[in-house]
Amino acid sequence: MGIHYYFRSLNELERIIRCPGKFKFEEHSVAAHSWKVVQYAKTLADIEERNGVTINWKKLYEITSSHDYGEIFIGDIKTPVKHSSPELRKLIQQVEEGMVYHFIEEHIPDEFKAIFHNQLREGKDDSVEGLILEVADKMDQVYEAFAELQRGNTEKEFVKMYRDALVKIKNIKLHCVDYFLNHILPDMVNDEIVSTVDIRRITDEALGIDRSQSA
Amino acid sequence: MGIHYYFRSLNELERIIRCPGKFKFEEHSVAAHSWKVVQYAKTLADIEERNGVTINWKKLYEITSSHDYGEIFIGDIKTPVKHSSPELRKLIQQVEEGMVYHFIEEHIPDEFKAIFHNQLREGKDDSVEGLILEVADKMDQVYEAFAELQRGNTEKEFVKMYRDALVKIKNIKLHCVDYFLNHILPDMVNDEIVSTVDIRRITDEALGIDRSQSA
Amino acid sequence: MGIHYYFRSLNELERIIRCPGKFKFEEHSVAAHSWKVVQYAKTLADIEERNGVTINWKKLYEITSSHDYGEIFIGDIKTPVKHSSPELRKLIQQVEEGMVYHFIEEHIPDEFKAIFHNQLREGKDDSVEGLILEVADKMDQVYEAFAELQRGNTEKEFVKMYRDALVKIKNIKLHCVDYFLNHILPDMVNDEIVSTVDIRRITDEALGIDRSQSA
Amino acid sequence: MGIHYYFRSLNELERIIRCPGKFKFEEHSVAAHSWKVVQYAKTLADIEERNGVTINWKKLYEITSSHDYGEIFIGDIKTPVKHSSPELRKLIQQVEEGMVYHFIEEHIPDEFKAIFHNQLREGKDDSVEGLILEVADKMDQVYEAFAELQRGNTEKEFVKMYRDALVKIKNIKLHCVDYFLNHILPDMVNDEIVSTVDIRRITDEALGIDRSQSA
Amino acid sequence: MGIHYYFRSLNELERIIRCPGKFKFEEHSVAAHSWKVVQYAKTLADIEERNGVTINWKKLYEITSSHDYGEIFIGDIKTPVKHSSPELRKLIQQVEEGMVYHFIEEHIPDEFKAIFHNQLREGKDDSVEGLILEVADKMDQVYEAFAELQRGNTEKEFVKMYRDALVKIKNIKLHCVDYFLNHILPDMVNDEIVSTVDIRRITDEALGIDRSQSA
Amino acid sequence: MGIHYYFRSLNELERIIRCPGKFKFEEHSVAAHSWKVVQYAKTLADIEERNGVTINWKKLYEITSSHDYGEIFIGDIKTPVKHSSPELRKLIQQVEEGMVYHFIEEHIPDEFKAIFHNQLREGKDDSVEGLILEVADKMDQVYEAFAELQRGNTEKEFVKMYRDALVKIKNIKLHCVDYFLNHILPDMVNDEIVSTVDIRRITDEALGIDRSQSA
């Protein structure tokens, strides 16, 4: 028994790969995903603060950094499965929560049990921190799917992931969502437009060759 | 719609890695696992035939080669989750079967629907073919876990996987189980005993050095 | 001596990668390939049966699941080498068969020797099962090469592999070949046509933006 | 210009591998490392709070999640290089800070510049949050090196990393350091002692064989 | 102390990946890069010899094969960092040379010290061998970047790497540079032009289908 | 036609992995192997020169850097296959040489054909340079196999590779072989003896704990 067992278990999320089964040009671990969500959420919360919203930073820290911890027990069960029926979704959530509960009861010393039960609860509630977590989590799906599509991945799952995440974000009422839709997303999409590479032209420029005269 | 969608989907099982999250020296895809189960089952059935048992080879072919197809939809959900409650286990099985069912209805042409529904059903029934599949499936857990333990993997999960699979095999009443326990398993365990390598001794032998005199 | 040495050796085919040397977006092990051939062959045989042809399922099971076992000894020697001269081709086949023969003699117990010699023989004879194996083996080359070309791989080897496999299949007289050419291949090629992704359009649709008015 | 360029750049830290050049059984990206530091720091701060220390959670969030961002520009330059001379160490730090500074000036919109300059500064100062970050960062070196040593890695660099990180932690005066040394580290070291696996014994137990009688 | 420590250290360059952090379809180790530079340099020197230039083959052998040995100590520090200021560039070079110097003093036996100090010095001087090394080193950047661009990599770093390497080569006065620009580079660029693959056309050709009539 | 096709082909040797099929903790490409052989050969030739032997450095450069080029066509065909019969060995060598010959005739411009035919010939003749190449090539087998054994790899193939390479080296009459056997190999073997790590002792030392009193 001891916090060591919690710390050691974090390593497992470095080995669970998101979106298992689908072809992808670049793999992402749940650990790396979690870190990016932490980073997005920080900036999203900064935007809220600039708009006069009060942020509970301790709570935001807790729920974003631990938001996928339950995948240690449940793996990255595919979204379609989780959502195939309300009944199944609820039961899987119960199992995940049950396994986290038992892990805490078995491994965490008594004086820290309350803290861990609180931190490892489902964080996506209706508080501003819960909503920011939801936006940040979906933003990483947007970034992951976008990079695959941009590199020529033809798996339909990434089109769907990109579209569904955008729709989910769009419907959350936060100042940072407006900022994302008006400033961040346009830069991302524009990135793609300019990314085609004309190797011959670059070669000619580097060598100082002007072919326009030769025609 | 078409069988092409079934054939293309097989590729996903090359990308789903067994035992996600746990550290392992060697990864195994569900596709490679499925192939080894096909191979084990063939020899196990040969042993049954030599003991006078009649084998339905078409059925054995169908149920072994497709036995993990449902993981395309469900991923390699961790065994502890699947078994955390009888209720959950049953529901996950329902979902998996439901998704396989819908896949067939959506993608397989009418004239082949019955064949696919039959082939992709759960194969581990009480027939001799179903029992052979169960033994072959557990045998691969024995081989996978053994190789990890032999290379020094200290994850307790592999000790548990090795032990649980042996217990499961032991309790199945088949001629091939006797053969496995009496002939194959002892060779495997013996393999481990002799595997320690003394580099200095090998070096001395290769160079023709005899240190026994020098003491 | 014992069947354990055969079962353990199967693991080597998980580590031999097809088409060594060439750049590819996705690697395939000989084990995973073998499993897909088993799956294709099963459905191809179903198609033959539906057309009134009698299938020896035990034989089909044996020859498809083991058809590349000799690569454990010989590696995935490149096709151009194998075919560079009839003399070489024959000699390499002799060596492969010789090494399989010696493996069986050395490791397989006497009572199973006949079974293994029979199963690990070259399966691509003129029987319907042998022809189905040939079609299934080439079909996997078609699927592998197609996926590389579709993702933008410019290695000429994959164009050649795709084309040569199609030509080989086309010239085999089986009902399942007709089915492949008329139903499966068109779906595959059509897949490619519709796979281009327009990220801006998807983004606009997800956000409910209509740019057609703005021009 | 835009925050998009910051968010997109985070992906690079998923591809920078810690401790480049050395053989390791398991690789860790800077992104995954950063996430584990975030997690350790959260619990370390909880321990401080339980001992009556006040934590600035917003500051802790900012400095831990971003503490290795500069490696995007500088890579994981080897520690011996960084420390080979005070002159070099200082200059490399200047370059890293200069490149972060220019990144912010070039890509971050004016209204967020101050926030980013503040967040991406060197966080390891003498405040309690700065010290917690230092402890959490070294703790991950302890965990990484320990896992390599436990699996039999003989590279001396990991012995040194493990030892140096422990010495560094030991000399920091925080309640959480006492907790780490007295409760977490002993569990970790004890883990190692019990990890040897006796495959024969496990096999015998699983099969219900009692060899003690047979002697 | 002993040459063994030098030979063993070479293995580290198999694990240092060039261009860390950037997305790439294919990774290249410093060891593999070094080998290709050895190969290019050999042919470049052959071209010089054919033009009447005398080559010191022993020197060329020494400086090309060892030219990146210092990266064992320094890693593949990113080019922008190395060049961010003349002051930093000089200091990093001093550190690299200092660490190589100390390695030789510590590990190489006295009778070989002079040889190793001579071989592991910076080889890119103004001699013909030094210039050939510079051309060969840049040529590998051209090949690496070209292959990424050709496969659709949209990272701007590879456009810049390709262009900068070409400009650097162009400005070196050697017969082999003329040959590269007039014979090798055009073949490379032409490669790209013809690489687009029309899967439908290939399929039709393989099957002997002529669609031109059907319109 | 052009030297570009030769340079581009080198990339294939970065993707051919040595010793295919066998489990290994660390993979080595033929390209990285070739580079290490170049490095070993350089020092081995330095040792010969110090003993008064004249080295043809241009020849040594050519034969060592290109010595495995033929594997582009033939792959890393397993040694047991190559040696299974003198007839097969000779035929495979003929095929490899034939394919290299045709590559040169097809792709290398006329004025360089003679140079390439000379460089890509089998280099392991009885000249001092040919013998050095043989020693360097076997030395890399010693290093590769040693590292696997040291990390606990139990595949018998690496014991055999290590032993056979040592025997081969021992029987070559060169000054550098004496040096290898008397100075390099003892350091390597000694490395192994001292590599066991006692984590508890290191931990105690780092923390300044003295348990010797407590007993």
Side-chain angles (χ1 to χ4, degrees), chain A residues 4 6 8 14-15 26 28 35-36 38-39 42 46 49 58 65-66 111 119 143 191, chain D residues 4 6 8 14-15 26 28 35-36 38-39 42 46 49-50 58 61 65-66 119 143 191:
Chain A
H4 164 62
Y6 177 73
R8 192 187 55 186
E14 292 183 80
R15 303 190 202 102
E26 186 170 21
H28 302 278
W35 175 69
K36 288 183 291 181
V38 164
Q39 289 266 340
K42 185 179 64 179
D46 284 334
E49 274 199 342
K58 182 177 177 183
S65 64
S66 308
E111 65 265 37
Q119 285 175 5
Y143 269 103
D191 231 20
Chain D
H4 164 62
Y6 177 74
R8 192 186 56 185
E14 293 184 79
R15 303 190 203 101
E26 186 170 21
H28 302 278
W35 175 69
K36 288 183 291 181
V38 164
Q39 289 266 340
K42 185 180 65 178
D46 283 334
E49 274 199 341
R50 286 178 50 88
K58 182 177 178 185
Y61 190 141
S65 64
S66 308
Q119 285 175 5
Y143 269 102
D191 231 19

Side-chain angles (χ1 to χ4, degrees), chain F residues 9-197:
Chain F
S9 73
L10 300 176
N11 183 223
E12 296 204 17
L13 290 180
E14 293 183 79
R15 303 191 202 100
I16 297 184
I17 298 303
R18 282 162 62 80
C19 210
K22 296 298 170 189
F23 173 79
K24 40 198 151 336
F25 289 112
E26 187 169 21
E27 296 196 330
H28 302 278
S29 71
V30 176
H33 157 74
S34 296
W35 176 69
K36 288 183 291 181
V37 168
V38 163
Q39 288 267 339
Y40 302 147
K42 184 180 65 178
T43 296
L44 297 177
D46 283 334
I47 294 173
E48 292 302 308
E49 275 199 341
R50 285 178 52 87
N51 283 277
V53 179
T54 301
I55 300 294
N56 179 339
W57 286 94
K58 182 177 178 182
K59 179 182 175 189
L60 186 68
Y61 190 142
E62 289 174 358
I63 63 176
T64 54
S65 64
S66 309
H67 82 283
D68 271 343
Y69 184 75
E71 296 202 7
I72 282 178
F73 306 107
I74 238 141
D76 191 359
I77 295 184
K78 305 209 168 177
T79 304
V81 174
K82 267 196 283 194
H83 298 194
S84 65
S85 80
E87 192 189 7
L88 183 75
R89 184 192 190 147
K90 200 175 141 208
L91 207 73
I92 286 186
Q93 194 179 327
Q94 282 173 11
V95 175
E96 185 173 331
E97 289 173 359
M99 296 191 83
V100 171
Y101 182 87
H102 284 113
F103 179 87
I104 293 172
E105 289 299 309
E106 188 181 348
H107 290 301
I108 301 300
D110 286 346
E111 64 265 38
F112 294 100
K113 279 200 169 88
I115 290 176
F116 274 81
H117 281 305
N118 190 47
Q119 284 174 7
L120 298 181
R121 74 185 183 282
E122 169 60 40
K124 291 182 182 172
D125 57 23
D126 288 339
S127 66
V128 64
E129 294 82 12
L131 293 173
I132 286 175
L133 169 57
E134 175 74 359
V135 175
D137 198 20
K138 293 299 172 226
M139 269 180 63
D140 204 44
Q141 290 194 349
V142 170
Y143 268 103
E144 279 187 22
F146 184 87
E148 289 300 317
L149 298 176
Q150 189 182 29
R151 285 165 192 153
N153 194 328
T154 60
E155 292 262 2
K156 287 178 187 58
E157 183 130 332
F158 291 106
V159 174
K160 187 170 157 46
M161 181 195 289
Y162 178 75
R163 184 191 286 130
D164 290 355
L166 279 185
V167 170
K168 203 83 170 241
I169 292 172
K170 191 184 62 175
N171 291 328
I172 294 173
K173 301 285 170 247
L174 285 177
H175 302 285
C176 60
V177 167
D178 295 338
Y179 193 89
F180 172 73
L181 295 176
N182 294 324
H183 294 92
I184 293 173
L185 185 62
D187 280 350
M188 192 192 306
V189 175
N190 211 45
D191 232 20
E192 199 271 333
I193 309 297
V194 300
S195 69
T196 319
V197 167

